[in-house]
Amino acid sequence: MAVVMKQQDRAEEAIEAIKSFRDRCSKQAQESLDNVLIDLYKKCGKLEEQIELLKQKLRMIYQGEAFNGKPTKTARSHGRKFQVTIKQETSRILGNLGWAYMQQSNYAAAEIVYRKAQQIDPDANKACNLCLCLLKQARYIEARSVLEDVLQGKLSGSDDPKSKSRAEELLKELEPFGSFGYTSTSPQLNLEDAFLDGLDQLINQYAPFRSRRLPIFEEISPCRDQLAC
């Protein structure tokens, strides 16, 4: 029903429908409902709700609750079935979270998220987004360096026409600045960014499947109120 409403441009109604009836759906269906909600929030411009739900999905991965406790899940695209790993799902969610921060013009937070995503499962699309984050912070040297990996075909998806075109457009935006700009250490963190900083724990200790509670939650416990959904 919610999918039909979305197709009819009734996104707000679809959101309310999911919230009202999701408790009647099976546990196995909850993850799919979250994915539909994220798309609906994006469509409605509800960035805060989108960000909170994405972080909730990351917490589920940390706690070994994603994919109903399994290391992979079956996904469908254009009528084809394929397997998605926890590693791929983590990178995908981080990419969506980075994009949401970019829509808020929070380029420092978006940069952190995209860097984490690239450490897990690098690709050309996220590299271009990371480049844009750096460009918006006037860190042109770093932005150009990130872009070079795409232009030299070092990343997955570099040969995709859309990625190539976007990389070339970003390069043109960088041309007027030449070698000007500055490099920077990691952005100074606030309470919100502490959640992002904790992702280092996941990357440093990453395994395809981890059922135990990760140390990241102990690290961010002082910020629990800000992170609660």
Side-chain angles (χ1 to χ4, degrees):
M1 180 174 67
V3 174
V4 173
M5 288 180 175
K6 177 185 173 183
Q7 293 171 344
Q8 296 174 342
D9 290 325
R10 297 161 60 193
E12 295 278 2
E13 293 177 68
I15 291 171
E16 292 306 314
I18 291 176
K19 288 181 177 180
S20 298
F21 297 107
R22 72 177 304 165
D23 60 335
R24 303 181 188 181
C25 299
S26 67
K27 182 180 178 180
Q28 289 74 19
Q30 297 303 315
E31 191 171 340
S32 295
L33 290 173
D34 283 342
N35 290 334
V36 174
L37 265 180
I38 288 170
D39 286 341
L40 290 168
Y41 286 147
K42 185 175 182 180
K43 188 176 181 68
C44 294
K46 294 180 179 289
L47 292 173
E48 289 297 337
E49 291 89 341
Q50 183 184 354
I51 287 170
E52 286 307 310
L53 187 49
L54 288 166
K55 291 196 294 187
Q56 179 181 317
K57 288 177 75 67
L58 284 172
R59 281 194 289 272
M60 289 179 66
I61 291 174
Y62 303 153
Q63 295 172 326
E65 298 172 1
F67 296 3
N68 296 308
K70 298 177 181 178
T72 63
K73 74 172 182 179
T74 301
R76 293 177 176 81
S77 178
H78 305 296
R80 293 191 307 109
K81 291 183 180 181
F82 57 95
Q83 292 296 305
V84 177
T85 65
I86 288 288
K87 177 180 177 181
Q88 292 169 325
E89 181 71 355
T90 302
S91 182
R92 184 188 72 82
I93 294 172
L94 287 171
N96 288 339
L97 182 58
W99 181 254
Y101 279 126
M102 284 178 69
Q103 304 316 297
Q104 292 184 324
S105 298
N106 189 350
Y107 298 110
E111 177 199 342
I112 294 170
V113 172
Y114 278 123
R115 286 193 186 279
K116 309 302 186 197
Q118 287 296 80
Q119 285 179 273
I120 295 172
D121 191 23
D123 65 45
N125 181 55
K126 292 193 292 289
C128 287
N129 288 339
L130 174 57
C131 172
L132 182 57
C133 290
L134 294 167
L135 193 156
K136 292 292 186 179
Q137 297 176 78
R139 291 159 61 190
Y140 308 122
I141 298 172
E142 292 173 80
R144 188 183 294 273
S145 176
V146 170
L147 205 57
E148 286 299 321
D149 287 342
V150 181
L151 295 172
Q152 294 175 13
K154 294 181 179 180
L155 298 175
S156 172
S158 294
D159 57 349
D160 179 75
K162 289 184 179 179
S163 294
K164 274 187 174 181
S165 176
R166 190 171 179 219
E168 290 168 358
E169 289 174 4
L170 286 167
L171 186 62
K172 287 181 181 179
E173 287 188 51
L174 286 166
E175 281 177 358
F177 305 106
S179 59
F180 293 102
Y182 65 94
T183 57
S184 170
T185 56
S186 297
Q188 195 169 13
L189 300 180
N190 54 34
L191 287 177
E192 170 66 23
D193 293 331
F195 178 86
L196 306 178
D197 188 48
L199 290 171
D200 284 330
Q201 293 285 340
L202 178 64
I203 293 166
N204 292 337
Q205 304 180 41
Y206 192 82
F209 179 68
R210 189 176 292 271
S211 60
R212 68 179 178 84
R213 184 180 179 85
L214 289 183
I216 178 175
F217 284 92
E218 304 307 323
E219 181 177 323
I220 65 177
S221 59
C223 313
R224 193 173 303 281
D225 290 341
Q226 284 78 13
L227 297 172
C229 295

